Amino acid sequence: MKVYGGLKLDREGIVLKLLGAEISKYLRDLSVLFYIVSPVPGGLYPQAPTGNPMNTIPASTTYVPCSENLLLRFGQLGATIADFMKPYGLAVGKNGEYVVTDLAGSRVLVYANAGELIGRFSCDCKISGVTMTRDNLILLAINGAGSAIMRIYNMDGHVLQTVGDFYRFDKPSGIAQTSKSQTIISNLEGNNIYVFTDQNKMSLKFGWHGSGDKHFNGPNFVAVDSKDNIIVSDSGNNCVKVFDTAGNFKRKFGNLSCPMGIAVDKRDNIIVADAGNFRVQMFDNHCNYLRCLVENTDDIQSDVKPLNVAVTPAGNVAVLLRGTQFAEIRVYKCPL
């Protein structure tokens, strides 16, 4: 078998012309010719051939779009309770657990650091973004639970606390916590940001609809750095903005198209799911461009975009990829 840039596959004089999504289909069908990585043995999906128990990417000539520095991939779009349907939020726990919120059915799925599904639970309200507390509890942005705006769960899916009394008409999306356990929530309905104290009392609200430095047009996700600066993906304004915990504007950067999930690594580099440009980019804490971590996600399928990102304890970057017929988590090694 020979691979020509992922477009032609030649075996015994037979040439197959494969483009984009057709590759995945034919690779599944022609398993005698190809090797495709499946989730780890003991998981919920069919096992891969032996010799790759950790779902890492083998040394192979098989064409896998967006595979440079790829370490791990897991999850799939499907109709069962164990599959992704409409994944949205992504966070990583202190032990390397991957926590994913799925808007379809208001479900939370928890994966071990090797990509095996180890837990899942449903919520009795609408959910959106997710982050992990300092105690490694699951903190969700919610609505539809009376007037609450966030809820804390343990890893087994038991509700520990529901927070908020005046947020019935808000639409929370992104959520993050500072080093002082302050909670930051972005509100799509009001195009603003809420800051809550470590006692879960609302202490600050800033921003409103518009295109200025202190305005937002779809603040989908938030993150914080080591200095507790608040970083917001202002999707409708195609930029990322940085504020201090008092809500004062500090700086912003653009050259983005509908930025979605954002994360910060140990060096305070900002990682952005640049969804409209089908790539994941990294910037330093002064908003200077560093590198592109993943690009051309539309090579997987024409509408597959990076929706969210998170940083693992080892410093790798987890990316939630989603299209109309595709959903997967991929973990990439981050170049130094």
Side-chain angles (χ1 to χ4, degrees), residues 101-103 106-108 123 125-129 140-143:
T101 59
D102 197 306
L103 305 188
S106 295
R107 299 174 303 131
V108 177
C123 306
C125 58
K126 295 180 180 179
I127 63 176
S128 50
L140 299 181
I142 66 168
N143 66 357

Side-chain angles (χ1 to χ4, degrees), residues 168-224:
R168 180 183 299 273
F169 302 107
D170 287 327
K171 189 177 180 181
S173 181
I175 188 167
Q177 274 205 330
T178 70
S179 63
K180 300 176 182 178
S181 296
Q182 297 167 291
T183 301
I184 317 298
I185 298 179
S186 63
N187 173 29
L188 295 178
E189 184 65 31
N191 282 287
N192 54 32
I193 304 296
Y194 289 119
V195 180
F196 293 81
T197 69
D198 60 347
Q199 300 299 311
N200 293 322
K201 304 296 183 182
M202 203 270 281
S203 63
L204 177 67
K205 180 177 77 171
F206 65 90
W208 59 94
H209 185 264
S211 58
D213 290 344
K214 297 182 179 180
H215 301 76
F216 302 107
N217 183 16
N220 274 288
F221 291 98
V222 292
V224 296

